[in-house]
Amino acid sequence: MRCYVAAPSCRMAGYTLMEMLVVILLVSMLFTYALPGWQSALHAARRVDAMLSLEHLGTLQSRHRAEFMRYAALEELELLTSQDGHYQLQLEDDPSGYLASARAREDGSQADDHRCRIFTLDAAGRRRARDACGADNTAYCWRSSRP
């Protein structure tokens, strides 16, 4: 069947340019509003990597001290990065015995997590966290993984 312009019952299938532009506009607006929340949730989930790695490091240090009467260096424990690789681990001497820290890797996916850049745990079990500017953000960062 042929369609002629004058025939009112004949309609061509497809979308108009205006309809396509409206759909693209709506999708882009949804994406614009959803992206920050999605990134925040990803950062919060990756923070668990730092927390678990520091807790694991603390357990290994306790075992090492019980066996050798001293705390170990990172090289002895064979831990240089967090379990998922989002954080760089460091150990420093501290009056309590040691100070373990997990710093977001500059080349990693947590590099733009400015709220919780550095997590620390000492031999006494004290937890701390600092943001990208160095301000204390312990209460926010060490809570559960909610964004």
Side-chain angles (χ1 to χ4, degrees):
M1 180 175 138
R2 289 187 148 174
C3 266
Y4 296 101
V5 178
S9 63
C10 188
R11 183 176 164 118
M12 297 188 83
Y15 298 104
T16 65
L17 179 61
M18 187 58 75
E19 291 170 331
M20 291 300 289
L21 288 176
V22 168
V23 169
I24 290 172
L25 176 69
L26 290 174
V27 169
S28 64
M29 285 176 53
L30 286 173
F31 184 74
T32 301
Y33 289 117
L35 184 64
W38 180 68
Q39 286 178 332
S40 178
L42 280 179
H43 287 313
R46 290 183 192 132
R47 288 179 199 133
V48 174
D49 181 35
M51 295 178 217
L52 291 177
S53 295
L54 288 176
E55 294 290 341
H56 179 67
L57 182 62
T59 302
L60 291 176
Q61 285 287 46
S62 296
R63 287 183 189 167
H64 193 274
R65 180 167 174 130
E67 187 174 342
F68 298 106
M69 302 303 287
R70 65 176 179 80
Y71 290 113
L74 277 178
E75 294 78 23
E76 293 175 88
L77 299 174
E78 298 179 1
L79 289 174
L80 298 176
T81 61
S82 61
Q83 295 169 356
D84 292 335
H86 300 295
Y87 292 86
Q88 184 73 33
L89 301 178
Q90 296 175 337
L91 269 177
E92 301 171 18
D93 290 330
D94 190 66
S96 69
Y98 68 88
L99 177 66
S101 64
R103 179 183 301 268
R105 294 177 55 157
E106 295 297 324
D107 61 344
S109 54
Q110 286 296 93
D112 58 344
D113 182 13
H114 302 292
R115 294 186 82 174
C116 303
R117 182 62 58 92
I118 303 169
F119 289 84
T120 60
L121 177 70
D122 65 12
R126 288 185 292 265
R127 302 170 174 178
R128 292 188 181 86
R130 301 212 175 272
D131 63 12
C133 297
D136 184 32
N137 207 2
T138 303
Y140 177 80
C141 297
W142 275 96
R143 68 181 185 162
S144 66
S145 62
R146 290 172 289 171

